[in-house]
Amino acid sequence: MATTTQIDTPPPQAPVERPSGRPTGRTGDRIFLGLSRGSGILLLVVMAAIAGFLTYRASIAISKDHANFLTSFDWLPSQTPPVFGIAVLLVGTVVSSVVAMVIAVPVAVGIALFISHYAPRRLATSLAYVVDLLAAVPSIIYGVWGALVLVPYLDGLNAWLDHYFAWTYIFDQTQSGVARNMLTVGILLAIMILPIVTSVSREVFLQVPRMNEEAALALGATRWEVIRLSVLPFGRSGVISASMLGLGRALGETMAVATVLSPSYLMSFHLLNPGGGTFAQNIAAKFDEANPLGRDALIASGLVLFVLTLLVNGAARLIIARRKEYSGANA
Amino acid sequence: MKLQRKNRLRAAAIGALAVSGALVLTACGSDDNSGSTGGTGGKTSAASNVKCDGAKGQLRASGSSAQKNAMDLWAKGYMAACQGVEINYKASSSGEGIVAFNQGTVGYAGSDSPLKPDEISDSKKVCKGGQGIDLPMVGGPIAVGYHLEGVDNLVLDGPTLAKILSTKIKNWNDPAIAKLNPGTKLPDKPIQPFHRSEDSGTTENLSKYLTASAPGDWKYPIGKSWPAPGGQAAAGSAGVAQQVKQVDGSIGYFELSYATSQKISTVKINTGAGSPVEASSDNASKAIAAAKVVGTGPDLSLKLDYTTKAEGAYPIVLVTYEIVCDKGNKADTLGTVKSFLTYTASDEGQQQLSTAGYAPIPAEINAKVRSAIAAIS
């Protein structure tokens, strides 16, 4: 909230008359102010309408649910009595997104640093272009590519992880199967969120004040030390906001997950076992054959995803607000 | 291994191309036919004996997606013969079809399962002076497809299949499988069972078969969602078939047409008959012939005999119904419903089923269906 007021303060001062006395287009200013304020309010109204719709339909479903909506492991809204709950979906959504973040953020920061500080100009521009292009590929294409190409190749990685890292519990493959598991989903999501994280991080790294870097160089720092001492601290909140943008995409990704995952309603933290599910994937998979109560139940699960996304974005804003003078998002 | 997989993928791609190419070509062919009959303005085409009496306007229908392909086929043939009549079948789900029917928004509904008692009492509000009845119209075998390098003939029975699909049997060289397949060299490989990830009438019918034929090994609730633990899920019959095609050591279930179009080997079922039975349209019809009509009056809901030992009867079948009012159909849809269903239940309509991987309803039951259709008003 603090940031919002910060941003909102300037406009009242905007219609300043120039010393020359020439009309500055006050009406233009007013129209523009009205338009932008209207758009801002419209956005809030739309969000409130979505929240209202989701809450209304969700309340219908939850009132008929014979299990605990938050902790139940079943999804059987067409059964009599209907039982359904989001525990598996919540865990699956969070786990797959966390896996994606763990893989994608270091790689994205690496690519961004390479593009902004190491690569020769010509390579940097073409590399940046290619990374941005990745963002434009529709998710279903990633899904098909994942199912036909990635999944068969990940069998080997699964076996390797199971062999050497089974002691970590999460890499213990207790049910043999094709690699249509949460790790695969995480890897695919990581590839999908890479462009947005890379591109925003790169922008932030390019905005590091030249003076800081030159001062560090003048003190005899190597290039890596420059990055460690001036670029990374300056860019940290920017990288965090970039990561949150990526996380938002990972949380809501639907078709790619639905294509590569073998969903089930068993709670398992063995990442290599097939099974699990995410909110968006579950909605896509169940919507067609669902009865009216089933649809309301899916909408209720959508509400949870909505709240989860709001919480994540709110948390991100809090982190960024602490260092807002450096934030790439607020720049 | 890698190379082989690549080749297999390439082969699959070429296969898919060939299949879709063939489909495109045949589609073009039949389009041309219907176009030419339409073009000459003749109401009767040489090949069909469709009676369009009283049919007019648009008929909306909705329900089971299992019979979608049959409906498409029939609607096309019917509309080519009856000018100006439009059949609009929305393949959603059986449950939704029945709901739409009881709200009076569709002329008839398609459903994988017959009306339940409370649904019948609801239907009395829509059918003035009558009630909703079930007419079995489309039968079909559910094929159990498998992919096991080196094994091209596999026989299973109900209990073994139940144990495999519920992951109680985990390896292909299990003694229970070996006992049913003397002389076949079964590899030491883990079994990868695949099932549907979304709710499905196919799943429900398979569960009914397993419950009936393996009561000791299959104690899960019968429903549209997959009940048993373990295994992997894929979306739609197409998704399951694709996984079975791709993964060595896999087994899964889908409508027969997916197995034939993708050349997936199917399991022969040991029903206790003289020899194991293969999944085919004919064999499915033989099993449906063993069904008993349990509906009263014009209602023809069937009780399938999943434990039939009749020679050549393939027991894993599904029957989908058309649900109409016996009396009190709406005046503006009655003519079209009657005329269209007369066509689908006719010899010509039923024969078309086997070309689409379905099974015709056996003659004895079909005769009752026809007289029930003739009596609706």
Side-chain angles (χ1 to χ4, degrees):
Chain A
M1 274 301 122
T3 42
T4 332
T5 35
Q6 280 293 335
I7 297 169
D8 282 349
T9 1
Q13 302 166 346
V16 187
E17 230 175 317
R18 280 191 200 158
S20 70
R22 239 174 357 113
T24 54
R26 268 169 192 278
T27 30
D29 278 343
R30 259 196 222 115
I31 291 172
F32 187 74
L33 175 69
L35 274 178
S36 49
R37 183 179 286 161
S39 320
I41 293 171
L42 181 69
L43 182 71
L44 288 179
V45 170
V46 169
M47 289 286 280
I50 294 174
F53 164 79
L54 289 176
T55 316
Y56 169 66
R57 295 291 289 270
S59 65
I60 298 177
I62 294 173
S63 66
K64 291 179 186 158
D65 191 357
H66 281 244
N68 188 321
F69 182 67
L70 291 177
T71 58
S72 166
F73 287 6
D74 291 309
W75 194 270
L76 300 164
S78 56
Q79 209 184 50
T80 39
V83 283
F84 50 89
I86 50 146
V88 172
L89 303 177
L90 184 63
V91 169
T93 306
V94 171
V95 165
S96 61
S97 301
V98 167
V99 171
M101 298 298 283
V102 166
I103 298 171
V105 171
V107 175
V109 169
I111 298 174
L113 282 176
F114 178 72
I115 292 177
S116 62
H117 285 83
Y118 285 93
R121 180 55 92 56
R122 198 179 294 164
L123 182 62
T125 40
S126 51
L127 199 59
Y129 178 71
V130 169
V131 169
D132 286 350
L133 206 62
L134 273 179
V137 177
S139 60
I140 186 70
I141 305 291
Y142 281 107
V144 172
W145 172 79
L148 294 178
V149 181
L150 189 62
V151 166
Y153 279 94
L154 285 182
D155 283 347
L157 177 70
N158 275 3
W160 185 82
L161 284 173
D162 181 40
H163 189 260
Y164 290 103
F165 293 97
W167 54 270
T168 58
Y169 185 81
I170 56 167
F171 291 132
D172 185 10
Q173 191 172 26
T174 54
Q175 181 198 335
S176 77
V178 194
R180 298 165 71 236
N181 50 33
M182 277 294 164
L183 183 70
T184 309
V185 171
I187 292 172
L188 196 63
L189 288 178
I191 299 171
M192 295 180 69
I193 65 176
L194 201 59
I196 186 87
V197 183
T198 307
S199 146
V200 175
S201 304
R202 190 193 67 219
E203 292 293 327
V204 175
F205 292 154
L206 284 175
Q207 282 170 15
V208 175
R210 204 76 205 132
M211 299 283 278
N212 287 15
E213 290 185 46
E214 278 169 10
L217 284 172
L219 290 171
T222 63
R223 192 178 293 190
W224 167 240
E225 280 163 342
V226 170
I227 287 172
R228 202 159 48 98
L229 293 171
S230 71
V231 177
L232 288 182
F234 180 88
R236 191 167 69 199
S237 56
V239 170
I240 292 171
S241 51
S243 310
M244 291 302 155
L245 282 176
L247 181 58
R249 189 173 179 190
L251 287 172
E253 180 44 45
T254 309
M255 288 324 290
V257 179
T259 319
V260 297
L261 182 68
S262 155
S264 79
Y265 289 92
L266 297 172
M267 181 79 88
S268 165
F269 287 97
H270 297 291
L271 286 185
L272 303 183
N273 283 1
T278 72
F279 287 113
Q281 166 272 326
N282 188 54
I283 292 173
K286 299 279 178 188
F287 203 79
D288 281 349
E289 291 275 324
N291 58 7
L293 177 63
R295 292 201 174 171
D296 287 342
L298 290 172
I299 289 170
S301 77
L303 176 67
V304 180
L305 178 60
F306 185 79
V307 172
L308 181 68
T309 317
L310 280 185
L311 286 180
V312 165
N313 281 328
R317 290 224 74 93
L318 274 183
I319 300 171
I320 295 162
R322 275 197 218 141
R323 299 171 59 89
K324 57 179 169 289
E325 68 272 25
Y326 290 149
S327 164
N330 286 347
Chain B
M1 187 63 198
K2 288 268 156 62
L3 200 68
Q4 226 179 353
R5 181 173 284 139
K6 255 186 204 159
N7 280 337
R8 218 183 298 147
L9 265 180
R10 201 167 294 156
I14 291 169
L17 204 68
V19 167
S20 50
L23 279 175
V24 166
L25 287 176
T26 49
C28 281
S30 41
D31 270 352
D32 285 344
N33 291 341
S34 59
S36 63
T37 50
T40 52
K43 272 205 166 184
T44 50
S45 71
S48 91
N49 305 308
V50 183
K51 294 194 180 69
C52 306
D53 310 334
K56 60 180 187 299
Q58 193 196 42
L59 173 63
R60 282 155 50 85
S62 143
S64 159
S65 55
Q67 53 173 299
K68 179 186 185 294
N69 293 337
M71 277 296 154
D72 286 352
L73 205 65
W74 282 333
K76 202 169 158 196
Y78 182 80
M79 288 191 288
C82 299
Q83 299 272 299
V85 185
E86 198 185 326
I87 309 285
N88 190 343
Y89 184 83
K90 179 172 165 258
S92 44
S93 67
S94 303
E96 229 175 295
I98 292 174
V99 168
F101 177 75
N102 279 342
Q103 286 169 347
T105 57
V106 292
Y108 70 91
S111 173
D112 299 336
S113 44
L115 290 167
K116 297 187 185 83
D118 57 325
E119 289 166 345
I120 291 180
S121 55
D122 277 353
S123 74
K124 285 175 182 161
K125 290 174 204 146
V126 177
C127 309
K128 301 270 180 290
Q131 63 168 58
I133 54 169
D134 307 292
L135 302 171
M137 196 61 78
V138 183
I142 301 171
V144 178
Y146 66 97
H147 178 169
L148 191 57
E149 303 282 317
V151 178
D152 44 15
N153 192 358
L154 186 70
V155 177
L156 295 176
D157 59 7
T160 316
L161 186 60
K163 280 183 206 149
I164 288 174
L165 292 177
S166 59
T167 60
K168 278 175 205 143
I169 294 179
K170 293 185 192 308
N171 207 303
W172 279 110
N173 63 3
D174 192 276
I177 306 177
K179 207 176 131 198
L180 288 162
N181 294 279
T184 308
K185 198 174 176 307
L186 292 161
D188 175 15
K189 211 176 268 174
I191 302 178
Q192 310 244 11
F194 281 92
H195 55 84
R196 297 280 290 272
S197 59
E198 80 285 20
D199 290 358
S200 152
T202 315
T203 301
E204 187 174 22
N205 279 284
L206 180 74
S207 309
K208 282 181 188 165
Y209 163 74
L210 292 171
T211 308
S213 67
D217 298 301
W218 192 264
K219 290 172 179 163
Y220 306 102
I222 293 174
K224 284 171 170 281
S225 48
W226 182 252
Q232 294 189 61
S237 286
V240 175
Q242 189 229 330
Q243 288 299 324
V244 172
K245 178 105 190 153
Q246 208 173 23
V247 179
D248 188 15
S250 59
I251 186 166
Y253 60 92
F254 27 77
E255 278 90 44
L256 180 64
S257 55
Y258 293 92
T260 39
S261 68
Q262 303 213 35
K263 298 199 167 51
I264 296 171
S265 321
T266 58
V267 168
K268 290 189 177 119
I269 300 290
N270 181 347
T271 58
S275 57
V277 190
E278 197 182 2
S280 72
S281 294
D282 284 352
N283 293 349
S285 287
K286 281 177 201 154
I288 299 171
K292 281 193 203 72
V293 175
V294 291
T296 50
D299 184 85
L300 293 172
S301 60
L302 300 179
K303 187 172 168 40
L304 290 163
D305 181 8
Y306 293 110
T307 52
T308 177
K309 289 179 182 160
E311 208 60 45
Y314 182 79
I316 317 177
V317 288
L318 64 83
V319 170
T320 70
Y321 300 90
E322 312 312 329
I323 292 172
V324 293
C325 293
D326 58 349
K327 290 190 194 79
N329 280 285
K330 288 209 183 72
D332 53 340
T333 58
L334 173 66
T336 323
V337 168
K338 211 165 165 172
S339 152
F340 180 62
L341 292 185
T342 306
Y343 168 65
T344 62
S346 69
D347 287 335
E348 187 193 336
Q350 290 289 312
Q351 272 159 21
Q352 286 184 26
L353 284 177
S354 39
T355 63
Y358 294 105
I361 299 296
E364 197 188 331
I365 299 170
N366 186 249
K368 289 180 188 158
V369 173
R370 286 182 203 177
S371 55
I373 294 171
I376 64 175
S377 61

